[in-house]
Amino acid sequence: GQQVMQIPQYQHVQEGEDFTTYCNSSTTLSNIQWYKQRPGGHPVFLIQLVKSGEVKKQKRLTFQFGEAKKNSSLHITATQTTDVGTYFCARSGGSNYKLTFGKGTLLTVNP
Amino acid sequence: NAGVTQTPKFQVLKTGQSMTLQCAQDMNHEYMSWYRQDPGMGLRLIHYSVGAGITDQGEVPNGYNVSRSTTEDFPLRLLSAAPSQTSVYFCASSGTGFLAKNIQYFGAGTRLSVL
């Protein structure tokens, strides 16, 4: 199937450390989305990547799309306690509407 | 602007009972979906709709029915609740367009327990 694999499943960091989560696919992605879900909350859209090798930044968050469009990463510089949550990547089905989500990476931050 | 509204927020059912989870959006979005979220499983697509009158199955459709009579509403029906349906259910919507349809807006979720 058109799955996306996320690693790691869990990551615990000290506040101020950097954090990276990876999303990998065995097939080429037409685009990829990243979402964040705070504990007890609902997923919130962060960004969509479309172009090969694309890099986008949102303050301390850097998103990359691989050159072969088979992987993506989310990097957080100098984590803060507000970064706690689960980060999901999602891929679209191309011409159809279905989105397939990865299982997510749960980030916890020790203050 | 309310966005995506789900009701109820919490529900406890007995095995075999039926119920409907409500979802409404006020953004005039064509695309709507239902997901369930279980620990360690991420978000799994149950059913989705690309417009009023059009629905299709997702990854885990068994035991659930949907209909889409209006653009705004997309209810999810549990026909005969089972303990395996204990989960958190999220409704989401998105607009039209090749890229816009991938940007999903989620409701706050319904936490369902089936005893």
Side-chain angles (χ1 to χ4, degrees):
Chain A
Q2 294 186 327
Q3 294 187 349
V4 284
M5 305 300 293
Q6 274 191 261
I7 53 172
Q9 191 174 0
Y10 307 98
Q11 184 75 60
H12 178 74
V13 300
Q14 290 292 125
E15 189 172 21
E17 291 181 339
D18 292 356
F19 159 77
T20 305
T21 175
Y22 301 90
C23 185
N24 299 308
S25 170
S26 59
T27 59
T28 302
L29 304 166
S30 55
N31 48 66
I32 195 157
Q33 299 81 40
W34 285 93
Y35 291 77
K36 176 184 178 181
Q37 183 178 24
R38 295 182 186 274
H42 59 277
V44 175
F45 172 79
L46 293 176
I47 208 155
Q48 177 166 226
L49 304 173
V50 180
K51 299 177 182 177
S52 168
E54 188 171 17
V55 178
K56 288 188 175 181
K57 292 189 176 185
Q58 291 179 350
K59 296 183 180 178
R60 293 178 296 104
L61 278 61
T62 301
F63 303 85
Q64 288 190 308
F65 203 6
E67 292 289 343
K69 299 183 76 173
K70 288 188 175 182
N71 57 74
S72 181
S73 65
L74 159 59
H75 179 82
I76 302 178
T77 303
T79 54
Q80 300 176 359
T81 54
T82 54
D83 296 324
V84 164
T86 301
Y87 293 85
F88 294 97
C89 64
R91 66 172 295 169
S92 68
S95 58
N96 68 36
Y97 167 59
K98 291 183 185 181
L99 277 191
T100 301
F101 283 79
K103 293 185 178 181
T105 296
L106 172 61
L107 171 65
T108 56
V109 179
N110 195 30
Chain B
N1 197 347
V4 180
T5 302
Q6 289 184 238
T7 56
K9 286 184 169 37
F10 302 93
Q11 183 71 50
V12 179
L13 293 178
K14 294 181 179 178
T15 297
Q17 287 185 317
S18 63
M19 81 158 292
T20 299
L21 307 185
Q22 302 292 344
C23 177
Q25 54 92 8
D26 61 2
M27 296 174 283
N28 201 31
H29 283 168
E30 288 297 318
Y31 296 99
M32 297 187 75
S33 300
W34 276 103
Y35 296 88
R36 59 177 290 172
Q37 185 173 36
D38 303 292
M41 299 297 292
L43 293 157
R44 292 185 291 171
L45 182 64
I46 305 172
H47 286 286
Y48 66 100
S49 170
V50 299
I54 307 170
T55 64
D56 204 349
Q57 296 182 347
E59 181 185 354
V60 288
N62 292 340
Y64 307 95
N65 270 0
V66 292
S67 60
R68 183 102 180 266
S69 56
T70 67
T71 298
E72 293 78 20
D73 300 298
F74 191 42
L76 178 72
R77 281 180 280 277
L78 278 70
L79 308 172
S80 177
S84 61
Q85 292 179 306
T86 293
S87 187
V88 180
Y89 292 85
F90 288 102
C91 177
S93 73
S94 60
T96 53
F98 181 68
L99 296 179
K101 65 180 173 66
N102 301 325
I103 301 174
Q104 299 208 348
Y105 297 83
F106 285 80
T110 295
R111 284 148 182 80
L112 175 68
S113 293
V114 183
L115 306 177

